[in-house]
Amino acid sequence: MTTPATDAPGGGAAVLRRLRRPAAPRPERCTFCGAGLPPEHRHLADTSRRALACACTACAMLFEQPGAAGGRYRGVPRRYLVDPGHGIDGADWEALQIPVSTVFFLRNAELDRLVALYPSPAGPAESELDPESWQAVLGRTRLAAMLEPDVEALLLRRAHGVTTCHLVPVDACYELVGRMRLHWQGFDGGPAARAELDGFFDRLAGLARPLTEDTA
């Protein structure tokens, strides 16, 4: 029996079957030397583009040298802190005028100012509130003064009437934004996005050290 052309190895049916298969994820590579990277790898902040670059261990160490690349790239640290004694309350949160339950602040060295970003269906959205209006709120936690420019963020979440306040690596915030964007449905994100958000903060609780008087 002659095999119909549509079922032949190069026929239409075979092509359709290949198209239905999800594409294999492309392995991540070092932005600088092209080496393959494991899932857990270093990130560098590109301060001129406000972006993150993936790096192998060797390249990350090179950029830790003073003056490397004119200071354009900065290694993202792995510091996680939580301030259980912050004074940010419900009224402060209303003053931030953030339309979702989560926001992170980072200090942009090139602009010499704080930038406020929050998750949205399109990715990180920047708050248009006057930065001077944030100062009174952020002054209620010592973590704000401890931020390393471009590479760390102050992460706030308001849930069930309680605000949590963390200092985290900036790549953790962008990972959260990416996960929220992937699962976002409807106006408020939907149950899948909220589950991702809850899971992220559950993991964060296990990583963060409480802020104390002698915390550096």
Side-chain angles (χ1 to χ4, degrees):
M1 179 185 297
T2 302
T3 303
T6 54
D7 288 330
V15 171
L16 287 174
R17 282 195 294 272
R18 287 198 298 273
L19 289 175
R20 290 194 192 102
R21 298 191 196 112
R26 297 178 62 182
E28 290 192 273
R29 296 192 173 276
C30 176
T31 302
F32 308 98
C33 71
L37 295 173
E40 295 293 327
H41 55 264
R42 293 287 305 276
H43 288 110
L44 301 178
D46 183 339
T47 59
S48 66
R49 296 178 53 210
R50 244 172 73 184
L52 294 175
C54 297
C56 65
T57 302
C59 288
M61 292 178 65
L62 284 176
F63 284 105
E64 288 175 357
Q65 303 302 315
R72 174 178 171 178
Y73 294 98
R74 296 192 59 202
V76 176
R78 307 311 302 162
R79 182 167 65 160
Y80 291 85
L81 298 173
V82 59
D83 183 3
H86 69 79
I88 303 171
D89 57 23
D92 294 322
W93 185 265
E94 291 296 324
L96 293 175
Q97 299 181 28
I98 302 299
V100 293
S101 66
T102 306
V103 61
F104 62 97
F105 297 85
L106 59 90
R107 186 171 297 281
N108 184 282
E110 187 169 304
L111 299 177
D112 192 27
R113 69 176 179 89
L114 280 170
V115 178
L117 301 155
Y118 55 88
S120 80
E126 186 167 340
S127 170
E128 297 181 357
L129 185 64
D130 183 349
E132 291 186 3
S133 301
W134 305 332
Q135 299 304 321
V137 176
L138 300 187
R140 296 180 179 273
T141 171
R142 286 199 296 130
L143 291 179
M146 298 171 64
L147 285 178
E148 289 289 332
D150 300 312
V151 294
E152 291 184 322
L154 185 68
L155 177 63
L156 304 180
R157 186 192 187 194
R158 183 77 177 171
H160 310 297
V162 176
T163 303
T164 54
C165 180
H166 292 83
L167 183 151
V168 300
V170 70
D171 54 2
C173 291
Y174 285 115
E175 177 191 352
L176 172 62
V177 169
R179 288 180 176 274
M180 295 289 285
R181 182 182 183 185
L182 180 64
H183 296 281
W184 196 287
Q185 292 181 339
F187 177 75
D188 63 352
R194 288 194 293 272
E196 285 291 326
L197 189 63
D198 289 340
F200 176 88
F201 277 91
D202 285 344
R203 293 189 295 274
L204 187 55
L207 291 171
R209 291 188 299 124
L211 180 65
T212 60
E213 290 300 322
D214 58 352
T215 301

